[in-house]
Every structure is written in C-alpha cells, then in structure tokens.
C-alpha cells in the first residue's frame, strides 16, 4: 500500500442523551474522521476517539490534530506499507498520543483488509458472525435508571453497566438488584475511589456484580492488586491499560481479573491484538470498551470483539443509543441482543461522506 492522500475532518454531532463525565456534561461529540487514499484509489477510514477535553486520557481533539499534522501523517505519506502493524513500529519514535496513532492505524487496517478482500474481523483473526453486546446506563435518580434498564432489556442488551456515584453506590446497586436480581450487572467507577475506600467497596460483594471497573487511579496497580485480594467481585482495568506492558504488570501483580480493551487508548488494533493474545494465554477475559464513537470505530470494535478472547459483551451499543443518525450505512443495529459482524471487505459498511461534510467544522488535506 502506498498512501497518496490523507484527509482529516473534525466533525461534531449532537448526542441523543447527554453524557456525564468527571469533567462535565457533553451534549455534542467531536471526533476526527480520517480518510486515507491509496495509489490504486482504494479508500480506508479511521477515527480518532479523543474527547474535546483531557479528562479520560491526556489526549484531546486538538492535541491529536497537532500530532497527526506535524509528526504522524508525514511518517506514512508516500511510504510503502505492506501490513498495518508496520505503522505502530513507525510511530514508536513519537511517544504517547495513542488515539491519534490508532486513528491512522485503523484506516490502514481498513485499506489492508480491503486489499486482501477480507472482512476486518477475519483480517484480525475473528470468526464469529454476531456478538452479544452491553449498554451503559446513565447516572440519574434510581427510578429513572430502573426505567432505562427495563427499556434496554426489552431492546435485547445482555449486560448492563452503571456509572456510579461514590456517595450513592450502595443505594444504586441494591435498588437495581431488587428489581433485576439476575441481570448481568457491573459498575464503572472511573477512578472515583481511593485505597481508603476498600471497606466501602467490599460491601458491594453481596450483589454478585460481573465486575467493578477501574475503582482507583490509572497508575494505582498496587492498590488495585490489594483490593482484588480482598474482594470476591472481579476488578476490571480500563484507564490503567495503555499498552501490553501495563497488561503484563497487572497480571504479575494480580491487579485485575478482567480487562477492557479500547483500541484508541492502547494505540490501535495491532496493540489490541497483542493484548488479546497475552490475556488469552493467562485466561483473563476481555471486552471492548466504548468511547461514544461514530459508526467507523463502532464497526472496528465489533470486528475486534469477534476474536475468541473477547468473552464478555462489550460497550458496543447500537448507533441509535447515542445518535439520531450515524455516518455509516447500514448503521449498527441490535438483533436479538446481538450485533452482526460485517462480512464485506474492510470495515464492511458504507461511509456517508455527505453526512460527514454536513457535520464537518474543519477539514485538512495532506
Ligand atoms: Mg470505563
């Protein structure tokens, strides 16, 4: 593959339901869509999933634009690339900026699998046709959360994740369990707790949660290991895992029993595959996390989740969970609690360029 042009579109889409974070509330989602054109005219698409502000990791839309523009795009333009994994090797000379790197690498994976006439799932090593998926329930008063779960259960979701508020964790989880004694339920703490809260967290053991995701800070491997020793409930790491070395550390310390993989956070699909293989060897179940992304990342995540190590339903909800309209056709839909893995070559869906143009705030061509 010889890349002759890269186009970046910064888009902004309204969210159907506001998204609450430790930073604040989002009603719009900015993203960078990458369109890569190869010498033969073939097109690959990728997406940078960074948020507008650096609350999840240090990256933002603006830092990604800066790094793509000055450092990463010049590394791949007019280069002969046989396999997308070469990109992560090329990018190694620049530290960090995983989401910017993953966006470009994703477009290369799309191009590569189109060239090989393989679906992205097959190119990555996945084989199943459909995957079960989970959904995130927004933090609200408990009555509203119960209503949301009822609705999502009817829609067919198989795993429910609740973002908890440290002050209301017991109240929220116990009320949900009273109404839904058997659903597959987990909580995501997004680092809201500290090691001093071990006793508070241990009280949640009685609710048979599928897992507690990222209770402590992202570098607190030792603290997570201490908690995991004390709790029956599995601890899952999300923000802590930036690369395969973090997985090795977590395994060595016993810091978790489950790992959430987000290709953007770990620098791309190639690193995600390395993590997959290591976790499989150590019997650590994986699931694919979500970043409120557009259909382009959504179908990449579905392809990744079709690999055998991804045994827990991921945060890969239908397009309609977040957006009135997606930028891909067909959009991601739920069928009997599952989403279908696209079978066409590459990401396997059509990208709606007209809609991207309508949503675009800034466009750059290289
Ligand atoms: Mg999380």
């Amino acid at each position: 593959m010889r890349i002759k042009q890269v186009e970046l579109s910064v888009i902004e889409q309204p969210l159907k339901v506001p998204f609450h974070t430790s930073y604040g509330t989002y009603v719009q989602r900015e993203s960078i869509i990458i369109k890569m054109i190869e010498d033969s005219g073939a097109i690959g698409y990728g997406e940078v999933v960074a948020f507008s502000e650096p609350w999840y990791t240090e990256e933002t839309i603006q830092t990604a634009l800066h790094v793509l523009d000055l450092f990463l795009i010049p590394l791949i333009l007019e280069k002969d690339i046989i396999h997308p994994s070469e990109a992560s090797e090329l990018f190694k000379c620049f530290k960090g900026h995983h989401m910017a790197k993953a966006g470009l690498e994703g477009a290369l994976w799309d191009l590569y699998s189109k060239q090989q006439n393989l679906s992205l799932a097959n190119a990555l090593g996945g084989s199943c046709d459909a995957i079960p998926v989970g959904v995130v329930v927004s933090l609200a008063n408990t009555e509203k959360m119960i209503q949301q779960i009822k609705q999502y259960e009817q829609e067919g979701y198989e795993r429910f994740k609740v973002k908890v508020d440290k002050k209301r964790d017991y109240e929220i989880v116990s009320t949900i369990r009273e109404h839904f004694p058997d659903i597959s339920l987990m909580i995501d703490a997004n680092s809201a707790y500290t090691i001093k809260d071990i006793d508070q967290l241990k009280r949640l053991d009685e609710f048979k949660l599928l897992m507690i995701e990222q209770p402590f800070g992202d570098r607190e491997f030792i603290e997570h290991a201490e908690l995991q020793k004390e709790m029956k409930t599995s601890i899952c790491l999300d923000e802590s895992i930036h690369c395969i070395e973090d997985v090795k550390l977590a395994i060595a310390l016993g810091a978790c029993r489950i790992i959430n993989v987000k290709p953007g956070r770990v620098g791309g699909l190639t690193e995600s595959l390395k993590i997959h293989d290591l976790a499989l060897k150590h019997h650590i179940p994986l699931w694919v996390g979500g970043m409120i992304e557009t259909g382009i990342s959504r179908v990449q995540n579905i392809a990744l989740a079709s690999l055998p190590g991804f045994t827990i339903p991921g945060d890969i909800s239908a397009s309609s969970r977040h957006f009135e309209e997606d930028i891909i056709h067909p959009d991601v839909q739920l069928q009997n609690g599952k989403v279908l893995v696209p079978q066409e070559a590459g990401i396997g869906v059509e990208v709606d360029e007209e809609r991207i143009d309508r949503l675009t705030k800034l466009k750059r061509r290289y």
Side-chain angles (χ1 to χ4, degrees):
M1 298 180 285
R2 200 172 175 86
I3 310 307
K4 71 168 183 191
Q5 194 182 89
V6 177
E7 200 176 279
L8 305 180
S9 303
V10 180
I11 64 165
E12 189 167 55
Q13 293 195 85
L15 291 170
K16 262 167 91 174
V17 181
F19 174 59
H20 305 287
T21 73
S22 55
Y23 159 74
T25 300
Y26 284 98
V27 292
Q28 309 259 1
R29 174 70 163 109
E30 267 190 311
S31 334
I32 304 174
I33 304 302
I34 295 177
K35 179 178 174 184
M36 204 178 263
I37 306 172
E38 199 236 341
D39 263 357
S40 68
I43 297 175
Y45 292 96
E47 176 182 350
V48 176
V49 297
F51 289 99
S52 311
E53 291 82 13
W55 62 271
Y56 176 71
T57 67
E58 58 274 65
E59 284 185 273
T60 68
I61 294 287
Q62 290 302 319
T63 66
L65 277 176
H66 168 69
V67 169
L68 286 162
D69 178 71
L70 287 183
F71 308 111
L72 300 178
I73 291 175
L75 280 179
I76 56 160
L77 268 183
E78 302 296 340
K79 281 254 166 61
D80 284 313
I81 293 172
I82 296 167
H83 190 272
S85 60
E86 290 164 35
S88 46
E89 286 303 313
L90 286 171
F91 295 160
K92 265 189 185 156
C93 62
F94 296 121
K95 293 190 175 168
H97 301 282
H98 286 180
M99 294 181 190
K101 290 173 177 174
L104 278 181
E105 206 219 33
L108 282 170
W109 270 103
D110 184 24
L111 270 177
Y112 169 77
S113 42
K114 281 172 179 157
Q115 191 189 48
Q116 302 293 314
N117 200 23
L118 288 171
S119 67
L120 178 61
N122 289 160
L124 293 171
S127 54
C128 53
D129 300 336
I131 52 163
V133 291
V135 69
V136 183
V137 179
S138 311
L139 186 62
N141 62 52
T142 37
E143 208 173 302
K144 202 164 170 203
M145 292 171 87
I146 299 293
Q147 286 309 322
Q148 277 188 59
I149 296 174
K150 260 186 205 151
Q151 191 199 322
Y152 291 142
E153 206 183 24
Q154 278 162 11
E155 287 174 30
Y157 287 103
E158 293 195 4
R159 193 230 63 202
F160 303 84
K161 171 161 124 179
V162 179
K163 297 265 186 185
V164 292
D165 173 341
K166 185 175 152 182
K167 289 195 199 97
R168 293 173 54 214
D169 57 0
Y170 194 88
E171 173 219 333
I172 291 172
V173 176
S174 62
T175 313
I176 293 174
R177 265 291 177 245
E178 263 169 44
H179 287 78
F180 307 95
D182 302 317
I183 58 167
S184 178
L185 179 67
M186 59 178 282
I187 62 169
D188 186 0
N190 287 116
S191 306
Y193 297 86
T194 71
I195 192 76
K196 291 188 191 131
D197 301 316
I198 281 195
D199 288 336
Q200 182 179 343
L201 285 162
K202 275 167 72 177
R203 289 179 68 208
L204 300 176
D205 259 344
E206 67 175 282
F207 300 113
K208 298 195 167 41
L209 296 172
L210 176 64
M211 71 189 91
I212 297 178
E213 188 181 347
Q214 197 71 42
F216 302 151
D218 62 341
R219 303 320 292 162
E220 295 186 309
F221 286 90
I222 294 170
E223 289 79 356
H224 280 111
E226 221 167 292
L227 176 68
Q228 185 63 92
K229 254 181 243 132
E230 299 256 343
M231 284 198 83
K232 287 194 212 95
T233 309
S234 294
I235 303 301
C236 168
L237 292 180
D238 170 0
E239 285 93 327
S240 292
I241 306 295
H242 296 267
C243 54
I244 190 153
E245 287 74 22
D246 289 333
V247 177
K248 289 180 190 166
L249 185 59
I251 292 172
L253 293 172
C256 66
R257 291 189 206 127
I258 298 174
I259 289 172
N260 160 343
V261 180
K262 293 177 183 169
R265 194 192 61 230
V266 302
L269 290 166
T270 303
E271 190 74 6
S272 304
L273 291 182
K274 288 184 195 163
I275 291 173
H276 170 267
D277 294 348
L278 182 69
L280 200 60
K281 209 167 105 187
H282 289 269
H283 309 290
I284 304 253
L286 302 174
W287 55 282
V288 179
M291 291 287 288
I292 328 271
E293 55 261 280
T294 77
I296 292 174
S297 292
R298 211 169 279 266
V299 287
Q300 278 183 5
N301 288 346
I302 293 168
L304 180 64
S306 74
L307 269 78
F310 289 89
T311 52
I312 297 175
D315 284 349
I316 310 174
S317 39
S319 301
S320 62
R321 165 73 179 82
H322 300 294
F323 305 111
E324 287 297 345
E325 202 185 331
D326 207 335
I327 59 168
I328 55 162
H329 300 295
D331 65 358
V332 176
Q333 293 190 10
L334 227 57
Q335 293 185 5
N336 303 321
K338 293 187 166 61
V339 294
L340 299 179
V341 180
Q343 301 297 314
E344 307 282 317
I347 55 173
V349 291
E350 204 182 300
V351 173
D352 187 338
E353 299 256 359
E354 267 175 39
R355 178 157 169 80
I356 292 177
D357 281 344
R358 267 182 281 135
L359 299 167
T360 296
K361 305 197 303 186
L362 173 83
K363 196 171 215 132
R364 285 185 188 163
R365 218 170 257 139
Y366 302 85

